[in-house]
Amino acid sequence: MAENAAAAAPHPLKIIAGADSFGAELKDALVSHLRSLNIDVEDLGTSDYYSIGDEVGRRVSSSDSSKTTTRGLVACGTGVGVAIFANKNPGVFATTCLTPADALNTRSINNCNVLAVSGMSTSKESAVEILDTWLKTPFKAPCPASGFKPWEEKMSCFFDKSMTEMPLIGKNDKLDGDSSSSTCSICCLVKNRELNPVEMIPGGSMKIIRESPTSAIVRFKAGSVEPAHHYTFGHDLVVLQGKKSVWNLTKGERFDLTVGDYLFTPAGDVHRVKYYEETEFFIKWDGRWDMFFDEDLETAKKAVEKETA
């Protein structure tokens, strides 16, 4: 059915593709698949995930919809970072899809026009299935979220209304010259919502976005310290605001992170963290979130003081 995707579009379909080094191989495989379907693809190649995500998003956002239906395909290690920065462009609805069901839901509900995939978590075969589902699924189609039944009239009207209102959010901010408002979809999930304190670590608060695999927005006050700890599952994070240092004690490495930086920590690696400014980041575990401490807070503070002296 994906073979007819370009013909089914109201205008000729064009895909703008790009990836970082962690997603390049998967992106190349998907670009080859798209071209085998005779779909026009502009491959922007490989760059930092935030640069390539923004560039693909910018081109989709500024495309002339009266002549061509332009969508985007982005890939990085998790598929999260590229989606964050693609979504900074008005009218872009980028979604990280790890399963065909994700693709089916987001095309049906969000009219997703930028597909983000994970080079570290998704095989080429699974990615092709996700891509084909994304290509062939029309807006408001029956999907897992609707129980595979047509949407009720009330929901259908809501979706139609959202398609006229959502693209204006970032566009209006730019026209008004208001640079303080973010069009980032991850940031919007937590904006004006209360984060719950992390009782185990003073100064920390967290908002769970998804339960399993767990993803969350986490915020720490300036000066906060996370004692050495480890998780059952590996995790990826992207810094949205602030500045922090992470000491991977298992590997003897230090990472100094600021806005836009990405870090993957393998399962079981013991690490300690220091926050220099109020810091906010998006984090995704490979499974359910848990936390095991390997030292107390006072020991951690002394160790950090020695490292940063």
Side-chain angles (χ1 to χ4, degrees):
M1 193 168 179
E3 286 82 352
N4 299 321
H11 303 292
L13 177 62
K14 180 176 181 178
I15 304 291
I16 310 293
D20 73 357
S21 59
F22 293 97
E25 185 176 351
L26 186 60
K27 182 266 297 178
D28 290 345
L30 295 181
V31 166
S32 295
H33 178 67
L34 287 167
R35 287 175 174 158
S36 75
L37 302 177
N38 296 318
I39 293 175
D40 183 18
V41 182
E42 182 178 356
D43 188 353
L44 303 183
T46 305
S47 185
D48 298 323
Y49 72 89
Y50 42 87
S51 299
I52 201 68
D54 177 61
E55 181 62 17
V56 171
R58 185 183 66 79
R59 296 199 184 201
V60 171
S61 177
S62 61
S63 63
D64 185 354
S65 60
S66 67
K67 298 180 179 179
T68 305
T69 298
T70 303
R71 296 193 203 172
L73 169 66
V74 288
C76 65
T78 63
V80 173
V82 282
I84 288 174
F85 287 92
N87 275 322
K88 287 185 175 290
N89 296 276
V92 171
F93 313 123
T95 306
T96 304
C97 295
L98 301 178
T99 66
D102 290 340
L104 188 54
N105 278 330
T106 193
R107 280 291 301 147
S108 172
I109 297 168
N110 312 117
N111 202 18
C112 167
N113 55 6
V114 175
L115 173 65
V117 292
S118 167
M120 295 172 63
S121 303
T122 307
S123 68
K124 293 178 183 178
E125 294 75 14
S126 295
V128 166
E129 187 178 358
I130 291 168
L131 176 60
D132 283 345
T133 301
W134 181 74
L135 287 171
K136 72 183 181 183
T137 302
F139 180 45
K140 301 193 297 183
C143 64
S146 69
F148 293 101
K149 299 177 182 178
W151 290 103
E152 295 181 359
E153 183 65 22
K154 181 178 180 181
M155 287 302 300
S156 180
C157 290
F158 168 75
F159 291 148
D160 287 334
K161 180 169 174 280
S162 73
M163 286 299 104
T164 61
E165 293 182 345
M166 290 197 299
L168 298 178
I169 295 173
K171 188 176 292 186
N172 288 342
D173 289 343
K174 288 193 174 184
L175 289 174
D176 294 340
D178 180 9
S179 61
S180 63
S181 297
S182 172
T183 57
C184 165
S185 62
I186 297 295
C187 300
C188 290
L189 285 172
V190 75
K191 187 177 180 181
N192 299 325
R193 296 188 184 186
E194 183 179 353
L195 275 70
N196 300 313
V198 180
E199 296 182 359
M200 297 180 289
I201 310 175
S205 55
M206 180 167 69
K207 176 73 176 181
I208 297 290
I209 297 172
R210 180 176 177 175
E211 287 293 343
S212 184
T214 306
S215 58
I217 293 287
V218 181
R219 183 183 301 143
F220 274 92
K221 295 179 181 178
S224 299
V225 172
E226 288 188 70
H229 60 282
H230 65 278
Y231 301 105
T232 300
F233 296 96
H235 63 282
D236 312 85
L237 66 84
V238 177
V239 179
L240 305 175
Q241 171 189 322
K243 182 179 179 182
K244 60 187 281 189
S245 288
V246 178
W247 288 268
N248 187 314
L249 305 180
T250 300
K251 293 184 169 60
E253 298 173 329
R254 172 176 171 170
F255 303 92
D256 296 316
L257 308 177
T258 187
V259 177
D261 285 340
Y262 162 85
L263 179 65
F264 172 70
T265 302
D269 276 17
V270 177
H271 53 290
R272 181 189 297 130
V273 188
K274 164 72 175 182
Y275 297 90
Y276 303 101
E277 305 171 1
E278 180 167 315
T279 301
E280 193 169 283
F281 54 94
F282 174 82
I283 185 168
K284 171 185 170 292
W285 287 268
D286 293 335
R288 292 189 67 87
W289 173 71
D290 56 19
M291 190 173 194
F292 303 95
F293 288 103
D294 298 281
E295 66 181 2
D296 59 40
L297 182 57
E298 289 306 313
T299 300
K301 288 181 177 179
K302 291 177 182 178
V304 167
E305 185 177 350
K306 183 179 179 180
E307 287 284 344
T308 56

